[in-house]
C-alpha cells in the first residue's frame, strides 16, 4: 500500500503538517506491511488535538467548517479511562426535553417500524417544511429515541432549524412486534424502508444519516450497499464498532463483561421476553433468555433469525470496516482510542487513508458515546459540538463538501 503522505504529528495542541497529498493527523508511524499504529498518549489528562485521517481536500473542508476537529480534547479530569467515561456519561448526562410526534410505518413482511419525529415547524432558517433539511438518527444496541445522546443531538439540530426523525429498531421503540423480525447490524432493509418513506414525504429536503454504535454499523452497511442510491447526502457516526468479532472479544474481557456486556445482554433478553408470543414461533425463547453475553445472544437469536449459519458469519457480514470503499457520500466517523466497545486495533486506518469521502476522527480518550469534558460534564460535550458543526457544514455548504470528497452532482440521488 502507498506510504502515508502529509503525516502530521502533534506536540501539544499544535500540529505540523507536511504539504503532501493526503492528511493523516497524529497517527503513529507506519509498520512494516502497511499497517498503521496510533500514537502513544502518556499523559491521561493532557490536552491533545484528535487525530484526523482523511484526504487532504476533505481535511481542508473540515478545518474550515468544523474547527472543533483541531481543538484540543481534554477529558473530564476526575473521569479517567474509557470505561469510567462510558459509565459516568450513562449515569449523569442531562436529558433535554424533547416532544416527539410518533409515526408507525408498515414493512413488506407485515411488520411495523416506529419513527419519532421532531418537525421543528418553528424553524426560522427553513420555514418551508418541504425543503427543511432532515437528520435521520439511528440509536445504538437496545437504544431508542429516549437516549440522552439522541435528545442532545436533536437539540443541536433543532437550533439550526433542521427536522429530526429517530428510527427505532423493531421491538425497541415501545411498539408491538407484529412479525418475528427484530434487527441486526447487517440487515439494512428496514433502514431502506425508512429512508424511502422520509424521502417520499419530503423529496426536496436533503437527509443526513447519523448512526451511534450499532446504529453506525447499520448506517455504514446501508451506505455501502446502496452506494450512489442511498437517498442520503452524508453520514456521521459515533463510536462505531468497526469489527464485530474484535469488539465482541473486547466486551468479553472480565471487567467489560461485568460493567457493560452483562447489562446489554439483559436488555436484549428483556426485549425478547416482552415479545415472546411472536418470537417463540421461530426461536427457543427460553434458551435465548439464558444467554449471558452478547455473543451467546447473537448465537441463539440474531444469527438464527436472519439466516446465518453461525455467529461468526453474522459478525463478518455486520462489520463495516472493509465496506467503506463502496460508500459514495461524505462520511465523518468519531471514535475514541479507549472505547471498550470498539478497540483501537480494529480502526480501519489503512482503508480510510485511501478514500476521498471518508474521514476518521480519533481522540485519545472519550470512551463509548461519552467524550466528557469539564468538571461537571452533564451537558454539551465534544461529540455534540462535532455533530452540530458537521451537519451544518453538510447542509449549508453542499457543493463544497461534494467537491472536497470528489463527488459529482449526478452521483448522488
Amino acid at each position: 500500500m502507498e506510504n502515508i503522505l502529509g503525516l502530521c504529528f502533534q506536540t501539544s495542541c499544535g500540529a505540523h503538517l507536511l504539504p503532501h497529498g493526503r492528511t493523516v493527523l497524529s497517527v503513529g508511524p507506519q509498520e512494516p506491511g502497511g499497517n498503521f499504529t496510533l500514537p502513544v498518549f502518556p499523559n491521561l489528562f493532557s490536552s491533545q488535538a484528535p487525530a484526523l485521517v482523511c484526504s487532504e481536500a476533505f481535511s481542508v473542508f473540515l478545518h474550515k467548517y468544523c474547527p472543533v476537529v483541531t481543538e484540543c480534547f481534554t477529558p473530564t479530569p476526575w473521569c479517567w479511562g474509557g470505561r469510567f467515561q462510558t459509565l459516568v456519561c450513562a449515569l449523569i448526562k442531562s436529558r433535554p426535553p424533547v416532544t416527539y410526534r410518533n409515526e408507525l410505518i408498515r414493512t413488506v413482511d407485515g411488520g411495523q417500524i416506529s419513527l419519532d419525529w421532531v418537525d421543528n415547524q418553528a424553524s426560522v432558517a427553513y420555514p418551508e417544511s418541504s425543503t427543511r433539511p432532515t437528520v435521520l438518527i439511528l440509536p445504538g444496541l437496545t437504544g431508542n429515541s429516549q437516549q440522552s445522546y439522541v435528545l442532545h443531538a436533536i437539540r443541536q439540530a433543532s437550533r439550526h432549524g433542521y427536522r429530526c426523525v429517530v428510527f427505532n429498531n423493531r421491538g425497541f421503540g415501545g411498539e408491538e412486534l407484529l412479525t418475528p423480525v427484530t434487527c441486526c447490524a447487517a440487515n439494512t432493509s428496514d433502514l431502506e424502508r425508512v429512508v424511502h418513506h422520509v424521502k417520499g414525504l419530503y423529496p426536496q429536503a436533503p437527509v443526513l444519516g447519523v448512526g451511534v454504535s450499532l446504529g453506525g454499523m447499520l448506517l455504514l452497511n446501508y451506505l455501502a450497499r446502496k452506494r450512489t442510491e442511498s437517498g442520503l447526502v452524508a453520514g456521521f457516526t459515533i463510536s462505531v464498532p468497526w469489527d464485530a468479532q474484535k469488539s465482541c472479544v473486547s466486551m468479553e474481557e472480565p471487567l467489560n463483561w461485568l460493567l457493560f456486556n452483562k447489562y446489554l445482554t439483559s436488555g436484549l433478553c428483556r426485549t425478547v421476553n416482552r415479545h415472546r408470543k411472536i418470537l417463540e414461533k421461530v426461536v427457543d425463547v427460553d434458551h435465548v433468555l439464558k444467554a449471558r453475553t452478547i455473543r451467546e445472544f447473537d448465537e441463539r437469536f440474531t444469527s438464527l433469525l436472519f439466516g446465518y449459519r453461525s455467529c461468526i458469519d453474522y459478525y463478518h457480514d455486520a462489520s463495516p470496516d472493509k465496506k467503506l470503499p463502496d460508500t459514495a457520500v461524505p462520511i465523518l466517523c468519531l471514535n475514541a482510542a479507549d472505547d471498550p466497545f470498539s478497540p483501537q486495533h480494529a480502526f480501519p486506518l489503512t482503508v480510510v487513508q485511501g478514500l476521498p469521502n471518508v474521514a476518521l476522527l480519533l481522540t485519545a480518550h472519550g470512551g463509548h458515546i461519552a467524550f466528557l469534558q469539564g468538571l461537571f460534564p452533564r451537558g454539551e460535550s465534544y461529540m455534540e459540538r462535532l455533530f452540530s458543526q458537521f451537519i451544518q457544514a453538510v447542509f449549508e455548504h453542499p457543493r463544497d463538501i461534494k467537491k472536497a470528497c470528489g463527488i459529482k452532482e449526478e452521483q448522488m440521488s
Side-chain angles (χ1 to χ4, degrees):
M1 204 207 84
E2 67 180 67
N3 293 328
I4 293 184
L5 299 177
L7 212 55
C8 178
F9 294 96
Q10 257 136 285
T11 54
S12 58
C13 291
H16 304 287
L17 179 62
L18 301 180
H20 294 290
R22 305 193 67 78
T23 302
V24 182
L25 306 185
S26 69
V27 175
Q30 184 174 0
E31 295 178 335
N35 294 320
F36 304 101
T37 57
L38 289 174
V40 176
F41 302 97
N43 189 340
L44 184 62
F45 305 120
S46 62
S47 294
Q48 299 169 34
L52 178 62
V53 185
C54 65
S55 70
E56 183 179 16
F58 203 175
S59 173
V60 170
F61 175 87
L62 292 172
H63 277 69
K64 181 176 181 180
Y65 296 114
C66 304
V68 69
V69 303
T70 65
E71 292 181 11
C72 292
F73 176 74
T74 305
T76 296
W78 56 266
C79 193
W80 44 267
R83 295 188 184 98
F84 200 20
Q85 278 256 339
T86 305
L87 287 172
V88 169
C89 183
L91 293 173
I92 73 169
K93 190 78 169 182
S94 63
R95 300 174 58 82
V98 172
T99 301
Y100 290 114
R101 172 179 64 84
N102 183 257
E103 179 186 19
L104 296 176
I105 63 173
R106 300 304 292 265
T107 58
V108 293
D109 68 323
Q112 62 181 358
I113 300 171
S114 174
L115 300 179
D116 284 321
W117 293 84
V118 176
D119 298 296
N120 204 4
Q121 297 286 12
S123 173
V124 175
Y126 296 93
E128 289 294 329
S129 179
S130 62
T131 57
R132 187 176 305 138
T134 302
V135 179
L136 171 61
I137 303 174
L138 288 66
L141 183 67
T142 75
N144 54 38
S145 61
Q146 298 304 317
Q147 307 306 124
S148 63
Y149 56 79
V150 173
L151 301 176
H152 276 277
I154 289 174
R155 183 167 70 171
Q156 295 288 336
S158 297
R159 287 174 177 172
H160 293 305
Y162 308 145
R163 173 173 44 234
C164 295
V165 56
V166 183
F167 164 33
N168 298 291
N169 286 314
R170 290 203 219 185
F172 293 94
E175 81 287 359
E176 181 185 357
L177 202 61
L178 300 182
T179 58
V181 177
T182 54
C183 67
C184 81
N187 189 301
T188 62
S189 58
D190 278 2
L191 178 53
E192 183 173 356
R193 171 73 179 95
V194 170
V195 173
H196 184 267
H197 176 72
V198 173
K199 292 295 293 182
L201 292 175
Y202 307 105
Q204 299 179 54
V207 182
L208 180 148
V210 178
V212 182
S213 191
L214 181 134
M217 298 173 71
L218 182 61
L219 176 63
L220 293 174
N221 286 329
Y222 170 78
L223 290 174
R225 188 160 296 161
K226 299 298 292 183
R227 303 195 179 197
T228 60
E229 299 179 350
S230 68
L232 304 180
V233 296
F236 178 76
T237 69
I238 300 172
S239 300
V240 166
W242 290 101
D243 184 307
Q245 180 65 31
K246 292 177 181 178
S247 292
C248 198
V249 171
S250 177
M251 289 291 284
E252 288 173 352
E253 294 177 7
L255 191 53
N256 289 341
W257 175 82
L258 182 64
L259 295 176
F260 310 114
N261 200 327
K262 183 179 178 181
Y263 171 79
L264 288 172
T265 304
S266 296
L268 290 168
C269 289
R270 283 195 300 271
T271 299
V272 169
N273 195 43
R274 182 161 64 90
H275 301 293
R276 171 188 284 269
K277 186 175 181 180
I278 190 74
L279 292 174
E280 63 186 3
K281 297 178 181 179
V282 293
V283 295
D284 183 346
V285 171
D286 290 331
H287 184 54
V288 171
L289 296 182
K290 293 177 183 177
R292 292 296 174 264
T293 66
I294 294 174
R295 187 198 300 268
E296 288 184 356
F297 179 87
D298 287 335
E299 287 174 344
R300 303 174 185 188
F301 183 79
T302 313
S303 58
L304 293 178
L305 203 64
F306 288 90
Y308 289 97
R309 291 183 300 176
S310 68
C311 189
I312 294 176
D313 289 338
Y314 164 48
Y315 284 169
H316 180 270
D317 198 24
S319 300
D321 54 349
K322 300 297 191 299
K323 301 175 185 176
L324 289 174
D326 293 329
T327 61
V329 300
I331 302 170
L332 176 60
C333 307
L334 174 65
N335 282 90
D338 62 358
D339 185 343
F341 290 63
S342 184
Q344 65 170 329
H345 63 268
F347 294 168
L349 301 178
T350 305
V351 176
V352 172
Q353 193 269 332
L355 299 176
N357 65 305
V358 181
L360 182 57
L361 188 66
L362 309 174
T363 60
H365 311 290
H368 190 70
I369 326 176
F371 301 93
L372 302 179
Q373 293 178 298
L375 290 177
F376 306 101
R378 298 193 70 248
E380 178 184 289
S381 72
Y382 184 84
M383 67 180 183
E384 281 90 22
R385 289 190 293 123
L386 179 66
F387 163 79
S388 176
Q389 290 184 10
F390 182 68
I391 63 172
Q392 186 177 29
V394 170
F395 287 140
E396 309 302 330
H397 307 282
R399 291 186 177 178
D400 289 353
I401 194 169
K402 288 177 184 177
K403 182 179 179 181
C405 295
I407 298 170
K408 297 179 181 179
E409 291 287 342
E410 61 269 19
Q411 282 184 280
M412 296 171 61
S413 62

